[in-house]
Amino acid sequence: EDQVTQSPEALRLQEGESSSLNCSYTVSGLRGLFWYRQDPGKGPEFLFTLYSAGEEKEKERLKATLTKKESFLHITAPKPEDSATYLCAAGPYGSSNTGKLIFGQGTTLQVKP
Amino acid sequence: DGGITQSPKYLFRKEGQNVTLSCEQNLNHDAMYWYRQDPGQGLRLIYYSQIVNDFQKGDIAEGYSVSREKKESFPLTVTSAQKNPTAFYLCASSITPWGELFFGEGSRLTVL
């Protein structure tokens, strides 16, 4: 069964305290691993797509990495405005003509000044 | 600016009533989707459409219906057959079925 699990469910950091969010996936072949940011009461906003193990992508204080079993979202020197829920989603090979994604439950990050 | 517009943002419904959530996009995307979000759960796919006049059921289609008469529009009807309709509903679109999703701001439905 295709499954995506994110950990931890919630994370509190002090401003400037770097950390990582984990996304473990079990899918029948991976066509893409997606990261989104969601602010309270809003729709998710696209951050990254990773396609193959070893791939890395960066955007400001965020860096996403991918292995054959999991993805990490590294947050370097976070600021309070980085506070949000981060969603991970995997696209199985069989969904290439449907766009179906398997979403994790999200990690809610709070960065205190 | 291009984007996805969902309305209404908040909706209250009495049990037994059907309600329709609107989703309009001006991104010229072919693929459109409806997801449901509940606290502590991942987004779950309700329906998706890759082209006008065609749509398929997602994982939790029971109690919902959609139409795709125009490329820009993909309304979702929550029927009285949906047992637990209170949730946050998200509409999304993508350039291709395998591309990243662009989401609307969401519609929060509460059944009284």
Side-chain angles (χ1 to χ4, degrees):
Chain A
E1 179 186 354
D2 295 333
Q3 192 170 7
V4 173
T5 302
Q6 292 186 246
S7 62
E9 288 188 13
L11 182 61
R12 287 186 177 181
L13 299 174
Q14 289 296 128
E15 185 172 2
E17 179 186 2
S18 301
S19 188
S20 297
L21 281 56
N22 177 264
C23 171
S24 296
Y25 63 90
T26 306
V27 295
S28 51
L30 181 72
R31 65 171 170 84
L33 190 291
F34 300 81
W35 282 98
Y36 293 87
R37 169 191 169 128
Q38 186 175 25
D39 292 308
K42 305 284 188 181
E45 176 186 350
F46 170 74
L47 293 173
F48 305 108
T49 309
L50 302 167
Y51 294 103
S52 57
E55 188 175 1
E56 298 183 353
K57 288 191 176 175
E58 289 188 64
K59 180 180 180 180
E60 297 181 356
R61 295 175 293 282
L62 301 177
K63 183 170 79 172
T65 62
L66 182 66
T67 73
K68 290 186 177 180
K69 295 183 178 180
E70 55 193 353
S71 178
F72 293 93
L73 185 65
H74 307 277
I75 303 176
T76 302
K79 297 182 178 181
E81 53 262 42
D82 294 321
S83 298
T85 295
Y86 290 87
L87 304 175
C88 166
Y93 266 132
S95 67
S96 61
N97 63 342
T98 68
K100 179 179 177 179
L101 297 179
I102 311 298
F103 279 86
Q105 77 277 26
T107 293
T108 299
L109 173 65
Q110 184 180 28
V111 182
K112 295 199 167 187
Chain B
D1 287 336
I4 298 179
T5 302
Q6 290 187 239
S7 63
K9 189 170 179 65
Y10 299 97
L11 185 61
F12 297 89
R13 186 194 95 175
K14 292 182 180 180
E15 285 192 20
Q17 288 181 335
N18 293 354
V19 294
T20 296
L21 308 181
S22 170
C23 177
E24 302 279 333
Q25 56 103 352
N26 60 3
L27 299 167
N28 200 33
H29 288 174
D30 285 316
M32 296 189 74
Y33 311 83
W34 275 104
Y35 283 89
R36 170 178 172 144
Q37 188 173 35
D38 296 284
Q41 295 192 39
L43 275 66
R44 291 181 291 168
L45 184 63
I46 305 172
Y47 268 98
Y48 63 97
S49 168
Q50 297 177 29
I51 198 169
V52 174
N53 293 323
D54 186 52
F55 49 83
Q56 284 79 40
K57 294 181 179 180
D59 298 320
I60 55 167
E62 185 176 352
Y64 300 98
S65 65
V66 294
S67 63
R68 188 86 186 277
E69 297 177 0
K70 299 187 300 181
K71 186 176 185 177
E72 302 80 17
S73 179
F74 192 39
L76 173 74
T77 297
V78 184
T79 75
S80 57
Q82 169 49 233
K83 301 299 182 186
N84 185 21
T86 295
F88 190 51
Y89 291 89
L90 288 160
C91 179
S93 70
S94 62
I95 299 173
T96 60
W98 53 88
E100 62 263 27
L101 299 176
F102 293 81
F103 285 89
E105 292 284 272
S107 293
R108 186 167 298 281
L109 172 63
T110 302
V111 174
L112 304 174

